[in-house]
Amino acid sequence: MKKKENEQTPEEEIINQTEETSPETEETAPVDELAEMKEKYLRLYSDFENFRKRTAKEKIELIQTASERLIVDLLPVIDDYERALANAPEGEISEGTQLIFTKIGNILQSKGLKELPAKGEVFDAEIHDCITQFPAPSEEEKGKVVEVVEKGYTLNEKVIRFAKVVVGN
């Protein structure tokens, strides 16, 4: 199919229309175009700045919590060791083994691990997980943690394990 000489494609029509503009719009066109390009530049620049700040923040958070999984996996081992220390007859666990456990505890604390306070504290659902309730021996202990079944921990101010507790009723 041959194209007629007078027939134009839609793209050619648009080009011809823009060429036929009045002299007044030709003078303001560069100014409008400049303002539009400046606006696009500012938006692009602000989007890039927001992206840069967001990625920097995410990187810092990633570095702080990179070891979280490892520490969470080590918590049951620490609990087992503490139970072994508490139930071992005097002198059965060597001083060297106790020093190793102390070093592990110090390393974990330096990485941001902290034990949550529990026994004797007022029950707080934000950090405690109530397993059961027992009648409180006195009025003072009502609503307070009577016994800790499993210690709770935070890592860099984020709770990684809730303390499992028994609350006085």
Side-chain angles (χ1 to χ4, degrees):
M1 188 164 130
K2 282 192 167 181
K3 195 175 176 184
K4 294 181 183 177
E5 288 182 28
N6 293 345
E7 203 173 298
Q8 292 181 341
T9 63
E11 294 86 11
E12 291 172 338
E13 287 179 18
I14 293 172
I15 292 171
N16 288 339
Q17 287 175 358
T18 56
E19 291 175 354
E20 297 172 0
T21 57
S22 67
E24 293 175 356
T25 55
E26 285 181 16
E27 292 173 6
T28 59
V31 174
D32 291 341
E33 187 177 325
L34 180 64
E36 183 180 320
M37 291 189 72
K38 192 175 190 179
E39 178 72 22
K40 283 182 182 180
Y41 169 76
L42 289 174
R43 288 183 187 275
L44 184 63
Y45 181 77
S46 65
D47 285 345
F48 179 72
E49 282 296 311
N50 291 339
F51 169 76
R52 190 178 60 78
K53 289 175 185 176
R54 185 179 67 244
T55 54
K57 182 180 174 185
E58 288 172 356
K59 186 177 180 181
I60 289 170
E61 288 174 3
L62 181 66
I63 290 169
Q64 287 179 342
T65 60
S67 58
E68 180 178 349
R69 265 180 95 180
L70 175 65
I71 291 174
V72 168
D73 290 342
L74 282 175
L75 291 179
V77 176
I78 292 170
D79 291 339
D80 291 343
Y81 190 83
E82 286 176 344
R83 281 191 287 274
L85 276 177
N87 295 322
E90 187 68 34
E92 188 171 303
I93 296 179
S94 71
E95 188 177 323
T97 307
Q98 291 176 349
L99 285 173
I100 292 170
F101 181 72
T102 304
K103 282 184 179 181
I104 290 172
N106 291 340
I107 290 169
L108 292 174
Q109 284 178 352
S110 72
K111 300 298 179 192
L113 185 72
K114 292 181 185 171
E115 188 177 315
L116 288 172
K119 192 164 185 165
E121 299 285 321
V122 176
F123 176 76
D124 181 5
E126 298 288 323
I127 59 173
H128 300 131
D129 184 13
C130 180
I131 294 181
T132 187
Q133 293 182 353
F134 278 122
S138 67
E139 281 294 316
E140 296 174 354
E141 293 183 1
K142 281 190 175 184
K144 291 188 177 182
V145 176
V146 178
E147 185 181 337
V148 178
V149 177
E150 188 176 70
K151 291 180 180 180
Y153 292 94
T154 60
L155 181 64
N156 298 321
E157 306 302 321
K158 177 186 171 192
V159 177
I160 59 172
R161 186 171 84 179
F162 293 93
K164 293 181 181 171
V165 298
V166 176
V167 179
N169 191 7

